[in-house]
Amino acid sequence: MSALVVQDLGVAYGSVQAVRGIDISVERGGLVALLGPNGAGKSSTLRALMGWARGASGRVAFDGEDILGWPPERIVRRGMTMVPEGRRVFADLTVDENLVVATVGRRDRATIAADRDQVFALFPVLYERRGQKAGSLSGGEQQQLALARALLSAARLLLLDEPSLGLAPKVVDTIFERIVDLKRRGLTLLLVEQNVDRALDIADHAYVLANGAIVMSGPAAELRRSAGLAQAYLGLERESAA
Amino acid sequence: MTIELLLQQVLNALSLGGTYALLALGLAIVFSMMGLINFAHGEIMSGAGYGLWFVILVGLPFGLGIVAAVVTGLAIAVAMEKIAFRPVRSASPAALLLTSFAVSGIMQVLFQNLISPKGRPVAVPDVLTGSWTLGTLHVGTIQALSIIVTLALLAGLTVFFRRTRMGIAMRAAASDFDVARLMGIRANAVIAAAFGVSGVLAGAAATFWVAQRGSVDPLMGFLPVLKAFIAVIVGGLGRLEGAVAGGFLLGFIEIGLRAFLPDDLVAYREALTLALVILILVLRPRGLMGRARESVR
């Protein structure tokens, strides 16, 4: 059963077509990676799914409901959210307050306290820093806070936009471990990454995007073995850089 | 200069600066959420003043007039958001700004044609026009009340913004509106709340302003709100604490210049105030509490 089905999704910024009619499907409980060089349309795709991009066309079904054109808060309240590129924690708010904000859209107030404890168990560093301003955290800690926030919003499907961006390799390890934890907890994940090897290590399935179109897709294990990927990828990188 | 005179001026500055701070805070709350510099904020204040005027006119007590001013400010602000700004919310900042000019102009004309282009007197009860004597210090009752109420409002808002879910959500929306929506915060609700708070603050400011001047006119809101804009910029655009600090600072500069300038320079008071403001902005281009924007959008 697919949690998310994207059909013929297009994203246009004025006359620039960033995404040209792509199809993506994410199984419930699955972890799907969306790969590709800079400017391939990965982030545009996520933004369109989340109601952040105007000029999106096609069909996006989340749990069978067509959500394209919905305001973001309505999509979030239905159970899908995004951890945006660059983390974007609320810098002036404390860690605790950031987590409170994440629960504003929830109706099940009674279970929030228990969920918060679970989130702190998953991200112990956030418990230590709960009274600190989020802006004073390190990049890795901010990324953990961004993940925790999404988790506490009670989303069943998370879109992760470049979670490793700007982080030291060791920190990236931690973040990816946490992402695997989230999958184990039954969350469905769509991961956009530049870090191809790491993404393929943890994903079930992957799509490779270039110039706004899908050029390759398949089970992550197959893509990793295929000599074609690196070639296609590098070739595309060169092409898109030109 | 005696210590009493100095204290007297400090009270004057607190009272004037407090009124600026309330207006500036309202402007800053709305700006921080939707990037709108609401030039029609002055008309919210004027409208609230007319609410007070009307209640006194029909013979109801002044206390009810204060309630009416605050409720009118709230109602006008919320209606303004819903009717004028919501349909153009996603438009460019320039379009939002022009919309606010239009709203301001339309409301001024309405006040002029439906009420009067001239000032309308508001009878202020004797209890409020009197003054208290503390030792050798004379404190106007309205002045004292305005300081107390302003501080109480600021304290109340601080608790609201720190302790309540809605308040914390509003701070989040003020710092990153798009991401706040990713947390499930409803854009319409949080912006309506921001306008509502700004309307209540404008209503309180209108009460002090009218009580001290004894009349309401269609252009009443213009000057104090212009000062509030300056306060917002001086404090650091988008920083709520900055707007409050900027309001008080402006109050102290104005009163300070009025009190201590030699007589032949008093005429240049406004110019000197603005010169000081420009000096502050030269030294701190982002305002007192402003900060560089995050590079990541």
Side-chain angles (χ1 to χ4, degrees):
Chain A
M1 176 69 193
S2 293
L4 184 72
V5 180
V6 177
Q7 287 171 325
D8 196 30
L9 179 75
V11 183
Y13 300 112
S15 60
V16 181
Q17 193 76 27
V19 178
R20 311 156 188 270
I22 63 170
D23 297 330
I24 291 174
S25 150
V26 184
E27 296 297 299
R28 185 159 296 146
L31 199 176
V32 170
L34 190 55
L35 309 171
N38 248 334
K42 309 184 299 288
S43 286
S44 293
T45 301
L46 288 199
R47 297 171 74 90
L49 297 182
M50 211 54 231
W52 263 21
R54 271 176 266 165
S57 60
R59 206 179 99 80
V60 177
F62 170 53
D63 279 349
E65 225 172 347
D66 197 344
I67 59 164
L68 195 66
W70 284 18
E73 57 265 38
R74 189 166 164 210
I75 299 174
V76 172
R77 283 162 188 253
R78 205 51 68 98
M80 169 169 137
T81 194
M82 174 165 75
V83 178
E85 185 180 330
R87 309 180 270 279
R88 292 177 65 175
V89 296
F90 302 112
D92 284 339
L93 274 60
T94 64
V95 168
D96 247 343
E97 287 172 337
N98 267 270
L99 296 176
V100 167
V101 173
T103 65
V104 165
R106 288 177 62 166
R107 293 223 187 86
D108 53 335
R109 296 277 177 91
T111 48
I112 288 175
D115 286 0
R116 187 171 160 274
D117 291 344
Q118 284 199 5
V119 162
F120 279 142
L122 198 57
F123 302 99
V125 66
L126 296 182
Y127 184 75
E128 289 164 30
R129 305 237 188 279
R130 64 192 182 283
Q132 260 176 251
K133 290 260 167 79
S136 72
L137 302 184
S138 71
E141 289 162 352
Q142 288 189 10
Q143 188 64 60
Q144 294 186 56
L145 177 56
L147 285 173
R149 228 170 32 173
L151 198 57
L152 209 50
S153 72
R156 285 165 283 135
L157 196 161
L158 286 191
L159 312 178
L160 305 175
D161 197 355
E162 305 273 11
S164 73
L165 197 72
L167 300 181
K170 249 196 124 82
V171 181
V172 176
D173 288 343
T174 315
I175 297 300
F176 272 66
E177 277 165 30
R178 290 295 90 78
I179 293 172
V180 171
D181 284 340
L182 297 184
K183 179 178 153 59
R184 278 204 205 100
R185 294 164 64 97
L187 265 81
T188 308
L189 298 134
L190 178 59
L191 167 71
V192 158
E193 255 303 333
Q194 298 233 37
N195 199 329
V196 178
D197 290 336
R198 285 194 192 252
L200 288 178
D201 275 345
I202 63 170
D204 313 316
H205 197 95
Y207 294 87
V208 181
L209 208 58
N211 297 319
I214 289 168
V215 292
M216 263 180 115
S217 74
E222 263 176 41
L223 280 185
R224 199 170 25 188
R225 274 195 306 271
S226 89
L229 174 68
Q231 242 171 8
Y233 205 89
L234 288 172
L236 291 164
E237 188 112 68
R238 232 173 270 130
E239 191 182 304
S240 69
Chain B
M1 163 142 309
T2 61
I3 190 84
E4 283 84 5
L5 199 54
L6 189 68
L7 270 175
Q8 191 82 59
Q9 299 302 348
V10 167
L11 287 175
N12 291 343
L14 279 176
S15 169
L16 183 67
T19 303
Y20 291 160
L22 293 183
L23 293 168
L25 184 55
L27 287 171
I29 289 171
V30 168
F31 176 82
S32 63
M33 296 240 180
M34 55 186 291
L36 161 71
I37 298 179
N38 185 11
F39 268 91
H41 197 66
E43 281 59 52
I44 299 177
M45 187 184 171
S46 303
Y50 282 115
L52 173 67
W53 163 75
F54 182 76
V55 165
I56 307 290
L57 188 74
V58 297
L60 293 169
F62 197 84
L64 270 184
I66 297 174
V67 175
V70 171
V71 171
T72 311
L74 172 71
I76 293 177
V78 171
M80 189 184 278
E81 187 272 320
K82 191 148 191 186
I83 297 167
F85 294 118
R86 192 172 295 185
V88 293
R89 189 186 295 159
S90 51
S92 68
L96 285 172
L97 191 64
L98 281 178
T99 305
S100 82
F101 278 128
V103 172
S104 166
I106 289 168
M107 288 184 66
Q108 284 179 8
V109 170
L110 285 178
F111 292 145
Q112 282 166 359
N113 291 340
L114 298 180
I115 303 171
S116 167
K118 292 197 211 111
R120 286 293 180 193
V122 175
V124 180
D126 294 341
V127 205
L128 292 179
T129 51
S131 65
W132 307 339
T133 307
L134 299 171
T136 52
L137 205 62
H138 294 281
V139 188
T141 308
I142 293 172
Q143 195 183 40
L145 274 179
S146 79
I147 295 172
I148 293 166
V149 172
T150 299
L151 295 180
L153 275 172
L154 293 177
L157 273 180
T158 305
V159 172
F160 171 73
F161 281 128
R162 304 266 154 207
R163 294 273 176 266
T164 69
R165 286 162 65 87
M166 187 62 189
I168 295 172
M170 285 177 74
R171 278 164 60 216
S175 99
D176 192 333
F177 195 75
D178 287 335
V179 173
R181 298 181 77 182
L182 280 187
M183 305 290 117
I185 292 172
R186 288 201 172 95
N188 287 344
V190 81
I191 288 182
F195 270 87
V197 170
S198 86
V200 167
L201 296 178
T207 308
F208 307 144
W209 204 257
V210 172
Q212 270 168 350
R213 297 167 12 135
S215 74
V216 193
D217 65 80
L219 303 178
M220 178 187 88
F222 178 76
L223 197 64
V225 168
L226 183 68
K227 297 290 172 57
F229 282 124
I230 296 170
V232 169
I233 305 288
V234 168
L237 198 58
R239 297 275 288 167
L240 304 188
E241 307 90 324
V244 174
F248 279 110
L249 179 71
L250 203 60
F252 272 89
I253 292 177
E254 279 193 17
I255 297 292
L257 289 178
R258 195 183 300 170
F260 302 116
L261 273 185
D263 285 347
D264 44 346
L265 283 180
V266 165
Y268 302 101
R269 201 175 68 226
E270 297 280 330
L272 284 169
T273 303
L274 292 177
L276 276 175
V277 163
I278 291 169
L279 180 67
I280 293 170
L281 289 176
V282 167
L283 297 174
R284 299 203 51 135
R286 286 178 186 279
L288 294 175
M289 300 196 178
R291 246 183 335 214
R293 283 250 160 212
E294 303 261 332
S295 56
V296 181
R297 213 210 86 85

